[in-house]
Amino acid sequence: MKDQIVIADALHGEVRIHAACTTSLVEEARQHHHCMPTSIAALGRTMTVTAIMASDLKNQNERVQAVLNGKGPIGTVLAQADGAGNVKGFAANPNVYIVREDGHLAVGQGIGTNGTLTVTRDMGLKEPFTGTSALQSGEVGDDFAYYFAISEQVPSVVGVGVLVSQEGSVKASGGLIYQLLPKAGEEAIEYCEKVAKTQKPVSELIDEGKDLDEIIQMYFPDANILARRDVRFHCGCSKEHFMDSLVTLHDNDLKEMIEDGKGAEIVCQYCNTTYNFTVEELKEILERKHCVENR
Ligand code: ZN
């Protein structure tokens, strides 16, 4: 199944549903960052929810960013997605591989619970909207559900999962989020609570070959599909982009790099691509900097 997000409503429009398949984009992130299983599960879950949030954006250049900071061995996990379906992210420590007693990847232990989830919605306005909530279990799904309830006042059930194969590659990744709209009545609330208790992990359903429409209809037989959005891993960085950031360095730092004669190496934190700058290029940057300043 190709990576996609399907948006639907159900129960007379009282519940809004997002189902996501993110297998390819999470596998691509794993390859870029050389992630071990628990690190990619944490990053993949975070990228999936972030992609789902971005699927509601009106404009292509609007962005959503989520940062989990739980002081566990994985450290910071960050994901960013835009209104065009481009998703990227990283886990500070990609080398974490810890397993729970039941054999599942210990994502909660990897992320930790001693910290916060911060979501920034950049809608192209002067001030982006930022909301922060305390981490609940570090399992990502619970943490976002709590965030939606506390910070955005939307009662939500958030299921996300990443299945990692024996060899360490991503077998299946996806998510199912359903949210009660303000007009939701008691019946819809009870129905969602019932579904939450019986729901199978979405990554397992994707691995079994179910498509997103089927997954939505398994739990919400009256669902109407409202929209489909393609999503992909895409960073968008370039050498020019990093050149612009070198221009903002202090003269002395640039001069030092030029004098030590080795050039500079910059690694993009979102996609792990390395950009090399020769001494000649650094000299050009220093010159360009002065042209800009003297204008
Ligand atoms: Zn990049």
Side-chain angles (χ1 to χ4, degrees), residues 174-224:
L176 181 67
I177 298 182
Y178 37 103
Q179 302 182 299
L180 291 161
L181 298 184
K183 63 177 173 179
E186 206 50 50
E187 233 172 274
I189 295 169
E190 277 172 24
Y191 186 89
C192 287
E193 283 171 353
K194 207 178 73 195
V195 172
K197 283 197 188 103
T198 56
Q199 196 194 308
K200 268 181 90 171
V202 187
S203 50
E204 279 176 30
L205 296 171
I206 290 171
D207 192 42
E208 286 166 15
K210 295 220 165 34
D211 68 30
L212 296 176
D213 293 29
E214 284 176 297
I215 292 170
I216 292 172
Q217 265 139 17
M218 271 173 72
Y219 299 113
F220 298 93
D222 74 324
N224 302 304

mmCIF file of all heavy atoms in Angstrom, residues 174-224:
data_model
loop_
_atom_site.group_PDB
_atom_site.id
_atom_site.type_symbol
_atom_site.label_atom_id
_atom_site.label_comp_id
_atom_site.label_asym_id
_atom_site.label_seq_id
_atom_site.Cartn_x
_atom_site.Cartn_y
_atom_site.Cartn_z
ATOM 1 N N GLY A 174 1.776 2.895 10.603
ATOM 2 C CA GLY A 174 0.537 3.620 10.334
ATOM 3 C C GLY A 174 -0.114 4.131 11.597
ATOM 4 O O GLY A 174 0.416 3.975 12.707
ATOM 5 N N GLY A 175 -1.263 4.762 11.405
ATOM 6 C CA GLY A 175 -1.968 5.308 12.554
ATOM 7 C C GLY A 175 -3.452 5.462 12.291
ATOM 8 O O GLY A 175 -3.895 5.517 11.131
ATOM 9 N N LEU A 176 -4.216 5.477 13.362
ATOM 10 C CA LEU A 176 -5.655 5.736 13.280
ATOM 11 C C LEU A 176 -5.994 6.682 14.434
ATOM 12 O O LEU A 176 -5.735 6.367 15.598
ATOM 13 C CB LEU A 176 -6.445 4.430 13.412
ATOM 14 C CG LEU A 176 -7.959 4.539 13.327
ATOM 15 C CD1 LEU A 176 -8.403 4.959 11.917
ATOM 16 C CD2 LEU A 176 -8.629 3.211 13.698
ATOM 17 N N ILE A 177 -6.495 7.850 14.064
ATOM 18 C CA ILE A 177 -6.885 8.828 15.083
ATOM 19 C C ILE A 177 -8.362 9.130 14.894
ATOM 20 O O ILE A 177 -8.802 9.382 13.775
ATOM 21 C CB ILE A 177 -6.076 10.142 14.938
ATOM 22 C CG1 ILE A 177 -4.572 9.865 15.134
ATOM 23 C CG2 ILE A 177 -6.549 11.207 15.932
ATOM 24 C CD1 ILE A 177 -3.686 11.114 15.065
ATOM 25 N N TYR A 178 -9.160 9.054 15.949
ATOM 26 C CA TYR A 178 -10.540 9.527 15.836
ATOM 27 C C TYR A 178 -10.820 10.515 16.951
ATOM 28 O O TYR A 178 -10.372 10.362 18.079
ATOM 29 C CB TYR A 178 -11.572 8.410 15.739
ATOM 30 C CG TYR A 178 -11.308 7.184 16.570
ATOM 31 C CD1 TYR A 178 -12.000 6.968 17.757
ATOM 32 C CD2 TYR A 178 -10.382 6.225 16.154
ATOM 33 C CE1 TYR A 178 -11.780 5.837 18.503
ATOM 34 C CE2 TYR A 178 -10.148 5.092 16.914
ATOM 35 C CZ TYR A 178 -10.845 4.908 18.081
ATOM 36 O OH TYR A 178 -10.599 3.792 18.845
ATOM 37 N N GLN A 179 -11.516 11.565 16.548
ATOM 38 C CA GLN A 179 -11.709 12.701 17.444
ATOM 39 C C GLN A 179 -13.172 13.088 17.511
ATOM 40 O O GLN A 179 -13.867 13.115 16.488
ATOM 41 C CB GLN A 179 -10.888 13.884 16.925
ATOM 42 C CG GLN A 179 -9.404 13.526 16.820
ATOM 43 C CD GLN A 179 -8.534 14.675 16.368
ATOM 44 O OE1 GLN A 179 -8.730 15.182 15.273
ATOM 45 N NE2 GLN A 179 -7.566 15.065 17.186
ATOM 46 N N LEU A 180 -13.634 13.398 18.711
ATOM 47 C CA LEU A 180 -15.030 13.803 18.900
ATOM 48 C C LEU A 180 -15.171 15.288 18.595
ATOM 49 O O LEU A 180 -14.428 16.117 19.113
ATOM 50 C CB LEU A 180 -15.450 13.544 20.341
ATOM 51 C CG LEU A 180 -15.557 12.064 20.729
ATOM 52 C CD1 LEU A 180 -15.526 11.896 22.235
ATOM 53 C CD2 LEU A 180 -16.822 11.435 20.147
ATOM 54 N N LEU A 181 -16.112 15.604 17.735
ATOM 55 C CA LEU A 181 -16.362 17.014 17.430
ATOM 56 C C LEU A 181 -17.250 17.605 18.517
ATOM 57 O O LEU A 181 -17.908 16.877 19.261
ATOM 58 C CB LEU A 181 -17.005 17.115 16.042
ATOM 59 C CG LEU A 181 -16.105 16.596 14.915
ATOM 60 C CD1 LEU A 181 -16.738 16.817 13.561
ATOM 61 C CD2 LEU A 181 -14.724 17.241 14.959
ATOM 62 N N PRO A 182 -17.276 18.942 18.635
ATOM 63 C CA PRO A 182 -18.010 19.554 19.750
ATOM 64 C C PRO A 182 -19.476 19.104 19.831
ATOM 65 O O PRO A 182 -20.042 19.023 20.922
ATOM 66 C CB PRO A 182 -17.912 21.060 19.438
ATOM 67 C CG PRO A 182 -16.652 21.194 18.653
ATOM 68 C CD PRO A 182 -16.532 19.933 17.840
ATOM 69 N N LYS A 183 -20.082 18.799 18.663
ATOM 70 C CA LYS A 183 -21.504 18.423 18.696
ATOM 71 C C LYS A 183 -21.735 16.955 19.069
ATOM 72 O O LYS A 183 -22.881 16.499 19.094
ATOM 73 C CB LYS A 183 -22.127 18.715 17.325
ATOM 74 C CG LYS A 183 -21.528 17.896 16.192
ATOM 75 C CD LYS A 183 -22.250 18.184 14.869
ATOM 76 C CE LYS A 183 -21.540 17.490 13.713
ATOM 77 N NZ LYS A 183 -22.161 17.687 12.433
ATOM 78 N N ALA A 184 -20.652 16.194 19.368
ATOM 79 C CA ALA A 184 -20.803 14.764 19.634
ATOM 80 C C ALA A 184 -21.675 14.505 20.857
ATOM 81 O O ALA A 184 -21.492 15.126 21.901
ATOM 82 C CB ALA A 184 -19.431 14.121 19.822
ATOM 83 N N GLY A 185 -22.602 13.566 20.715
ATOM 84 C CA GLY A 185 -23.496 13.218 21.826
ATOM 85 C C GLY A 185 -22.950 12.034 22.609
ATOM 86 O O GLY A 185 -21.897 11.474 22.287
ATOM 87 N N GLU A 186 -23.710 11.660 23.650
ATOM 88 C CA GLU A 186 -23.313 10.564 24.544
ATOM 89 C C GLU A 186 -23.085 9.260 23.782
ATOM 90 O O GLU A 186 -22.141 8.520 24.056
ATOM 91 C CB GLU A 186 -24.437 10.393 25.588
ATOM 92 C CG GLU A 186 -23.983 9.785 26.905
ATOM 93 C CD GLU A 186 -22.743 10.458 27.506
ATOM 94 O OE1 GLU A 186 -22.709 11.712 27.629
ATOM 95 O OE2 GLU A 186 -21.814 9.715 27.819
ATOM 96 N N GLU A 187 -23.949 9.017 22.781
ATOM 97 C CA GLU A 187 -23.861 7.759 22.033
ATOM 98 C C GLU A 187 -22.523 7.634 21.292
ATOM 99 O O GLU A 187 -21.891 6.581 21.310
ATOM 100 C CB GLU A 187 -24.991 7.711 20.995
ATOM 101 C CG GLU A 187 -25.838 6.469 21.061
ATOM 102 C CD GLU A 187 -27.048 6.601 20.139
ATOM 103 O OE1 GLU A 187 -28.072 7.170 20.581
ATOM 104 O OE2 GLU A 187 -26.923 6.166 18.984
ATOM 105 N N ALA A 188 -22.122 8.737 20.642
ATOM 106 C CA ALA A 188 -20.857 8.741 19.890
ATOM 107 C C ALA A 188 -19.679 8.551 20.843
ATOM 108 O O ALA A 188 -18.726 7.829 20.536
ATOM 109 C CB ALA A 188 -20.705 10.047 19.115
ATOM 110 N N ILE A 189 -19.761 9.192 22.009
ATOM 111 C CA ILE A 189 -18.676 9.073 22.995
ATOM 112 C C ILE A 189 -18.534 7.626 23.441
ATOM 113 O O ILE A 189 -17.440 7.057 23.443
ATOM 114 C CB ILE A 189 -18.945 9.998 24.213
ATOM 115 C CG1 ILE A 189 -18.918 11.460 23.758
ATOM 116 C CG2 ILE A 189 -17.919 9.758 25.327
ATOM 117 C CD1 ILE A 189 -19.420 12.466 24.789
ATOM 118 N N GLU A 190 -19.675 6.989 23.768
ATOM 119 C CA GLU A 190 -19.634 5.591 24.213
ATOM 120 C C GLU A 190 -19.120 4.675 23.109
ATOM 121 O O GLU A 190 -18.354 3.747 23.355
ATOM 122 C CB GLU A 190 -21.030 5.132 24.661
ATOM 123 C CG GLU A 190 -21.336 5.547 26.079
ATOM 124 C CD GLU A 190 -22.779 5.258 26.462
ATOM 125 O OE1 GLU A 190 -23.393 4.347 25.837
ATOM 126 O OE2 GLU A 190 -23.295 5.954 27.351
ATOM 127 N N TYR A 191 -19.556 4.962 21.879
ATOM 128 C CA TYR A 191 -19.132 4.135 20.747
ATOM 129 C C TYR A 191 -17.611 4.197 20.586
ATOM 130 O O TYR A 191 -16.953 3.170 20.423
ATOM 131 C CB TYR A 191 -19.835 4.586 19.459
ATOM 132 C CG TYR A 191 -19.545 3.683 18.281
ATOM 133 C CD1 TYR A 191 -20.331 2.573 18.014
ATOM 134 C CD2 TYR A 191 -18.437 3.924 17.453
ATOM 135 C CE1 TYR A 191 -20.041 1.722 16.952
ATOM 136 C CE2 TYR A 191 -18.133 3.082 16.394
ATOM 137 C CZ TYR A 191 -18.947 1.983 16.144
ATOM 138 O OH TYR A 191 -18.649 1.152 15.098
ATOM 139 N N CYS A 192 -17.049 5.397 20.633
ATOM 140 C CA CYS A 192 -15.600 5.554 20.479
ATOM 141 C C CYS A 192 -14.832 4.869 21.600
ATOM 142 O O CYS A 192 -13.778 4.271 21.377
ATOM 143 C CB CYS A 192 -15.222 7.027 20.410
ATOM 144 S SG CYS A 192 -15.691 7.781 18.856
ATOM 145 N N GLU A 193 -15.363 4.946 22.818
ATOM 146 C CA GLU A 193 -14.706 4.277 23.942
ATOM 147 C C GLU A 193 -14.671 2.772 23.727
ATOM 148 O O GLU A 193 -13.670 2.106 24.026
ATOM 149 C CB GLU A 193 -15.433 4.607 25.256
ATOM 150 C CG GLU A 193 -15.092 6.010 25.749
ATOM 151 C CD GLU A 193 -15.957 6.460 26.925
ATOM 152 O OE1 GLU A 193 -16.922 5.739 27.291
ATOM 153 O OE2 GLU A 193 -15.675 7.560 27.453
ATOM 154 N N LYS A 194 -15.782 2.250 23.165
ATOM 155 C CA LYS A 194 -15.866 0.811 22.891
ATOM 156 C C LYS A 194 -14.838 0.419 21.818
ATOM 157 O O LYS A 194 -14.125 -0.571 21.958
ATOM 158 C CB LYS A 194 -17.290 0.469 22.413
ATOM 159 C CG LYS A 194 -17.699 -0.960 22.705
ATOM 160 C CD LYS A 194 -19.131 -1.233 22.252
ATOM 161 C CE LYS A 194 -19.214 -1.317 20.728
ATOM 162 N NZ LYS A 194 -20.574 -1.241 20.192
ATOM 163 N N VAL A 195 -14.757 1.218 20.743
ATOM 164 C CA VAL A 195 -13.800 0.930 19.660
ATOM 165 C C VAL A 195 -12.370 0.958 20.199
ATOM 166 O O VAL A 195 -11.555 0.081 19.899
ATOM 167 C CB VAL A 195 -13.949 1.941 18.494
ATOM 168 C CG1 VAL A 195 -12.829 1.755 17.471
ATOM 169 C CG2 VAL A 195 -15.307 1.771 17.819
ATOM 170 N N ALA A 196 -12.083 1.941 21.040
ATOM 171 C CA ALA A 196 -10.719 2.090 21.574
ATOM 172 C C ALA A 196 -10.283 0.840 22.335
ATOM 173 O O ALA A 196 -9.113 0.464 22.304
ATOM 174 C CB ALA A 196 -10.638 3.317 22.473
ATOM 175 N N LYS A 197 -11.266 0.199 23.009
ATOM 176 C CA LYS A 197 -10.920 -0.988 23.810
ATOM 177 C C LYS A 197 -10.652 -2.211 22.945
ATOM 178 O O LYS A 197 -9.894 -3.091 23.338
ATOM 179 C CB LYS A 197 -12.064 -1.297 24.780
ATOM 180 C CG LYS A 197 -12.079 -0.348 25.976
ATOM 181 C CD LYS A 197 -12.926 -0.885 27.115
ATOM 182 C CE LYS A 197 -13.092 0.159 28.195
ATOM 183 N NZ LYS A 197 -14.423 0.799 28.157
ATOM 184 N N THR A 198 -11.267 -2.295 21.756
ATOM 185 C CA THR A 198 -11.165 -3.517 20.952
ATOM 186 C C THR A 198 -10.239 -3.368 19.749
ATOM 187 O O THR A 198 -9.968 -4.338 19.050
ATOM 188 C CB THR A 198 -12.559 -3.923 20.421
ATOM 189 O OG1 THR A 198 -13.092 -2.803 19.693
ATOM 190 C CG2 THR A 198 -13.502 -4.285 21.548
ATOM 191 N N GLN A 199 -9.773 -2.141 19.514
ATOM 192 C CA GLN A 199 -9.016 -1.858 18.304
ATOM 193 C C GLN A 199 -7.676 -2.601 18.231
ATOM 194 O O GLN A 199 -6.928 -2.634 19.200
ATOM 195 C CB GLN A 199 -8.752 -0.355 18.286
ATOM 196 C CG GLN A 199 -8.335 0.191 16.964
ATOM 197 C CD GLN A 199 -7.768 1.583 17.145
ATOM 198 O OE1 GLN A 199 -8.404 2.438 17.759
ATOM 199 N NE2 GLN A 199 -6.566 1.796 16.660
ATOM 200 N N LYS A 200 -7.413 -3.182 17.071
ATOM 201 C CA LYS A 200 -6.114 -3.839 16.840
ATOM 202 C C LYS A 200 -5.094 -2.796 16.401
ATOM 203 O O LYS A 200 -5.470 -1.800 15.783
ATOM 204 C CB LYS A 200 -6.244 -4.861 15.691
ATOM 205 C CG LYS A 200 -6.581 -6.265 16.152
ATOM 206 C CD LYS A 200 -6.657 -7.194 14.954
ATOM 207 C CE LYS A 200 -5.322 -7.855 14.614
ATOM 208 N NZ LYS A 200 -5.481 -8.923 13.581
ATOM 209 N N PRO A 201 -3.813 -3.007 16.669
ATOM 210 C CA PRO A 201 -2.804 -2.037 16.200
ATOM 211 C C PRO A 201 -2.855 -1.865 14.680
ATOM 212 O O PRO A 201 -2.928 -2.846 13.937
ATOM 213 C CB PRO A 201 -1.483 -2.679 16.616
ATOM 214 C CG PRO A 201 -1.830 -3.598 17.741
ATOM 215 C CD PRO A 201 -3.214 -4.096 17.456
ATOM 216 N N VAL A 202 -2.866 -0.612 14.233
ATOM 217 C CA VAL A 202 -3.003 -0.304 12.806
ATOM 218 C C VAL A 202 -1.853 -0.884 11.990
ATOM 219 O O VAL A 202 -2.048 -1.353 10.866
ATOM 220 C CB VAL A 202 -3.070 1.224 12.569
ATOM 221 C CG1 VAL A 202 -3.382 1.526 11.119
ATOM 222 C CG2 VAL A 202 -4.110 1.839 13.458
ATOM 223 N N SER A 203 -0.641 -0.870 12.576
ATOM 224 C CA SER A 203 0.502 -1.411 11.823
ATOM 225 C C SER A 203 0.286 -2.893 11.514
ATOM 226 O O SER A 203 0.646 -3.368 10.436
ATOM 227 C CB SER A 203 1.791 -1.199 12.618
ATOM 228 O OG SER A 203 1.648 -1.658 13.935
ATOM 229 N N GLU A 204 -0.358 -3.630 12.441
ATOM 230 C CA GLU A 204 -0.644 -5.052 12.179
ATOM 231 C C GLU A 204 -1.661 -5.204 11.070
ATOM 232 O O GLU A 204 -1.535 -6.074 10.205
ATOM 233 C CB GLU A 204 -1.159 -5.741 13.449
ATOM 234 C CG GLU A 204 -0.029 -6.138 14.381
ATOM 235 C CD GLU A 204 -0.527 -6.748 15.690
ATOM 236 O OE1 GLU A 204 -1.614 -7.374 15.701
ATOM 237 O OE2 GLU A 204 0.177 -6.583 16.702
ATOM 238 N N LEU A 205 -2.697 -4.342 11.074
ATOM 239 C CA LEU A 205 -3.726 -4.409 10.029
ATOM 240 C C LEU A 205 -3.118 -4.097 8.657
ATOM 241 O O LEU A 205 -3.435 -4.750 7.663
ATOM 242 C CB LEU A 205 -4.870 -3.421 10.338
ATOM 243 C CG LEU A 205 -5.668 -3.725 11.626
ATOM 244 C CD1 LEU A 205 -6.603 -2.570 11.943
ATOM 245 C CD2 LEU A 205 -6.459 -5.026 11.475
ATOM 246 N N ILE A 206 -2.225 -3.100 8.619
ATOM 247 C CA ILE A 206 -1.558 -2.756 7.356
ATOM 248 C C ILE A 206 -0.687 -3.929 6.901
ATOM 249 O O ILE A 206 -0.686 -4.310 5.734
ATOM 250 C CB ILE A 206 -0.723 -1.464 7.525
ATOM 251 C CG1 ILE A 206 -1.667 -0.262 7.681
ATOM 252 C CG2 ILE A 206 0.219 -1.253 6.335
ATOM 253 C CD1 ILE A 206 -0.977 1.035 8.072
ATOM 254 N N ASP A 207 -0.003 -4.540 7.865
ATOM 255 C CA ASP A 207 0.861 -5.681 7.552
ATOM 256 C C ASP A 207 0.046 -6.859 7.004
ATOM 257 O O ASP A 207 0.509 -7.619 6.162
ATOM 258 C CB ASP A 207 1.623 -6.095 8.818
ATOM 259 C CG ASP A 207 2.742 -7.074 8.516
ATOM 260 O OD1 ASP A 207 3.444 -6.860 7.508
ATOM 261 O OD2 ASP A 207 2.908 -8.051 9.262
ATOM 262 N N GLU A 208 -1.216 -6.988 7.475
ATOM 263 C CA GLU A 208 -2.091 -8.053 6.972
ATOM 264 C C GLU A 208 -2.624 -7.742 5.582
ATOM 265 O O GLU A 208 -3.288 -8.562 4.969
ATOM 266 C CB GLU A 208 -3.286 -8.241 7.924
ATOM 267 C CG GLU A 208 -2.931 -8.930 9.231
ATOM 268 C CD GLU A 208 -4.035 -8.797 10.283
ATOM 269 O OE1 GLU A 208 -5.188 -8.424 9.913
ATOM 270 O OE2 GLU A 208 -3.740 -9.044 11.461
ATOM 271 N N GLY A 209 -2.375 -6.530 5.101
ATOM 272 C CA GLY A 209 -2.797 -6.183 3.741
ATOM 273 C C GLY A 209 -4.087 -5.384 3.661
ATOM 274 O O GLY A 209 -4.600 -5.136 2.565
ATOM 275 N N LYS A 210 -4.621 -4.957 4.813
ATOM 276 C CA LYS A 210 -5.847 -4.148 4.783
ATOM 277 C C LYS A 210 -5.517 -2.727 4.297
ATOM 278 O O LYS A 210 -4.503 -2.157 4.687
ATOM 279 C CB LYS A 210 -6.454 -4.073 6.182
ATOM 280 C CG LYS A 210 -6.916 -5.419 6.686
ATOM 281 C CD LYS A 210 -8.229 -5.319 7.421
ATOM 282 C CE LYS A 210 -8.903 -6.663 7.636
ATOM 283 N NZ LYS A 210 -8.019 -7.814 7.853
ATOM 284 N N ASP A 211 -6.402 -2.164 3.452
ATOM 285 C CA ASP A 211 -6.150 -0.777 3.056
ATOM 286 C C ASP A 211 -6.853 0.171 4.032
ATOM 287 O O ASP A 211 -7.617 -0.258 4.907
ATOM 288 C CB ASP A 211 -6.495 -0.520 1.588
ATOM 289 C CG ASP A 211 -7.981 -0.596 1.296
ATOM 290 O OD1 ASP A 211 -8.786 -0.292 2.188
ATOM 291 O OD2 ASP A 211 -8.329 -0.963 0.161
ATOM 292 N N LEU A 212 -6.564 1.462 3.893
ATOM 293 C CA LEU A 212 -7.026 2.432 4.902
ATOM 294 C C LEU A 212 -8.546 2.527 4.949
ATOM 295 O O LEU A 212 -9.130 2.657 6.026
ATOM 296 C CB LEU A 212 -6.394 3.803 4.634
ATOM 297 C CG LEU A 212 -4.865 3.850 4.759
ATOM 298 C CD1 LEU A 212 -4.344 5.230 4.379
ATOM 299 C CD2 LEU A 212 -4.405 3.492 6.180
ATOM 300 N N ASP A 213 -9.200 2.444 3.767
ATOM 301 C CA ASP A 213 -10.674 2.490 3.751
ATOM 302 C C ASP A 213 -11.254 1.320 4.542
ATOM 303 O O ASP A 213 -12.189 1.476 5.331
ATOM 304 C CB ASP A 213 -11.201 2.429 2.309
ATOM 305 C CG ASP A 213 -10.827 3.675 1.509
ATOM 306 O OD1 ASP A 213 -9.783 4.267 1.822
ATOM 307 O OD2 ASP A 213 -11.583 4.051 0.601
ATOM 308 N N GLU A 214 -10.666 0.144 4.338
ATOM 309 C CA GLU A 214 -11.144 -1.050 5.057
ATOM 310 C C GLU A 214 -10.952 -0.893 6.566
ATOM 311 O O GLU A 214 -11.823 -1.273 7.350
ATOM 312 C CB GLU A 214 -10.358 -2.289 4.599
ATOM 313 C CG GLU A 214 -10.757 -2.824 3.242
ATOM 314 C CD GLU A 214 -9.857 -3.993 2.824
ATOM 315 O OE1 GLU A 214 -8.634 -3.769 2.661
ATOM 316 O OE2 GLU A 214 -10.377 -5.092 2.671
ATOM 317 N N ILE A 215 -9.789 -0.355 6.941
ATOM 318 C CA ILE A 215 -9.506 -0.191 8.374
ATOM 319 C C ILE A 215 -10.521 0.762 9.008
ATOM 320 O O ILE A 215 -11.067 0.500 10.082
ATOM 321 C CB ILE A 215 -8.052 0.312 8.578
ATOM 322 C CG1 ILE A 215 -7.063 -0.783 8.163
ATOM 323 C CG2 ILE A 215 -7.819 0.740 10.029
ATOM 324 C CD1 ILE A 215 -5.602 -0.339 8.076
ATOM 325 N N ILE A 216 -10.806 1.869 8.317
ATOM 326 C CA ILE A 216 -11.792 2.822 8.852
ATOM 327 C C ILE A 216 -13.153 2.147 8.962
ATOM 328 O O ILE A 216 -13.847 2.233 9.986
ATOM 329 C CB ILE A 216 -11.870 4.083 7.961
ATOM 330 C CG1 ILE A 216 -10.563 4.893 8.070
ATOM 331 C CG2 ILE A 216 -13.073 4.945 8.349
ATOM 332 C CD1 ILE A 216 -10.461 6.044 7.084
ATOM 333 N N GLN A 217 -13.537 1.410 7.898
ATOM 334 C CA GLN A 217 -14.869 0.803 7.892
ATOM 335 C C GLN A 217 -15.020 -0.371 8.871
ATOM 336 O O GLN A 217 -16.121 -0.688 9.294
ATOM 337 C CB GLN A 217 -15.262 0.399 6.469
ATOM 338 C CG GLN A 217 -16.104 1.511 5.829
ATOM 339 C CD GLN A 217 -15.760 1.789 4.380
ATOM 340 O OE1 GLN A 217 -15.125 0.981 3.718
ATOM 341 N NE2 GLN A 217 -16.194 2.948 3.896
ATOM 342 N N MET A 218 -13.903 -0.998 9.235
ATOM 343 C CA MET A 218 -13.951 -2.063 10.246
ATOM 344 C C MET A 218 -14.528 -1.541 11.555
ATOM 345 O O MET A 218 -15.244 -2.227 12.262
ATOM 346 C CB MET A 218 -12.521 -2.532 10.571
ATOM 347 C CG MET A 218 -11.994 -3.645 9.704
ATOM 348 S SD MET A 218 -10.235 -3.930 10.096
ATOM 349 C CE MET A 218 -10.361 -4.695 11.721
ATOM 350 N N TYR A 219 -14.148 -0.298 11.885
ATOM 351 C CA TYR A 219 -14.538 0.265 13.178
ATOM 352 C C TYR A 219 -15.689 1.262 13.061
ATOM 353 O O TYR A 219 -16.441 1.465 14.010
ATOM 354 C CB TYR A 219 -13.328 0.926 13.846
ATOM 355 C CG TYR A 219 -12.217 -0.067 14.093
ATOM 356 C CD1 TYR A 219 -11.006 0.018 13.429
ATOM 357 C CD2 TYR A 219 -12.424 -1.125 14.986
ATOM 358 C CE1 TYR A 219 -10.007 -0.922 13.650
ATOM 359 C CE2 TYR A 219 -11.430 -2.066 15.208
ATOM 360 C CZ TYR A 219 -10.220 -1.965 14.533
ATOM 361 O OH TYR A 219 -9.240 -2.894 14.747
ATOM 362 N N PHE A 220 -15.794 1.895 11.896
ATOM 363 C CA PHE A 220 -16.865 2.877 11.679
ATOM 364 C C PHE A 220 -17.566 2.543 10.356
ATOM 365 O O PHE A 220 -17.259 3.140 9.325
ATOM 366 C CB PHE A 220 -16.289 4.301 11.642
ATOM 367 C CG PHE A 220 -15.621 4.716 12.926
ATOM 368 C CD1 PHE A 220 -14.252 4.539 13.107
ATOM 369 C CD2 PHE A 220 -16.365 5.257 13.969
ATOM 370 C CE1 PHE A 220 -13.635 4.907 14.288
ATOM 371 C CE2 PHE A 220 -15.757 5.629 15.160
ATOM 372 C CZ PHE A 220 -14.385 5.448 15.325
ATOM 373 N N PRO A 221 -18.514 1.577 10.393
ATOM 374 C CA PRO A 221 -19.123 1.105 9.144
ATOM 375 C C PRO A 221 -19.867 2.201 8.374
ATOM 376 O O PRO A 221 -20.029 2.086 7.157
ATOM 377 C CB PRO A 221 -20.099 0.015 9.618
ATOM 378 C CG PRO A 221 -19.636 -0.374 10.981
ATOM 379 C CD PRO A 221 -18.996 0.846 11.572
ATOM 380 N N ASP A 222 -20.289 3.261 9.039
ATOM 381 C CA ASP A 222 -21.049 4.312 8.334
ATOM 382 C C ASP A 222 -20.145 5.463 7.865
ATOM 383 O O ASP A 222 -20.641 6.517 7.470
ATOM 384 C CB ASP A 222 -22.156 4.868 9.254
ATOM 385 C CG ASP A 222 -21.590 5.762 10.353
ATOM 386 O OD1 ASP A 222 -20.477 5.455 10.845
ATOM 387 O OD2 ASP A 222 -22.227 6.765 10.712
ATOM 388 N N ALA A 223 -18.816 5.262 7.894
ATOM 389 C CA ALA A 223 -17.891 6.372 7.599
ATOM 390 C C ALA A 223 -18.027 6.880 6.161
ATOM 391 O O ALA A 223 -18.257 6.109 5.233
ATOM 392 C CB ALA A 223 -16.457 5.912 7.846
ATOM 393 N N ASN A 224 -17.887 8.195 6.010
ATOM 394 C CA ASN A 224 -17.795 8.821 4.680
ATOM 395 C C ASN A 224 -16.365 9.275 4.482
ATOM 396 O O ASN A 224 -15.839 10.024 5.310
ATOM 397 C CB ASN A 224 -18.651 10.094 4.595
ATOM 398 C CG ASN A 224 -20.088 9.808 4.901
ATOM 399 O OD1 ASN A 224 -20.684 8.963 4.255
ATOM 400 N ND2 ASN A 224 -20.627 10.487 5.905
#
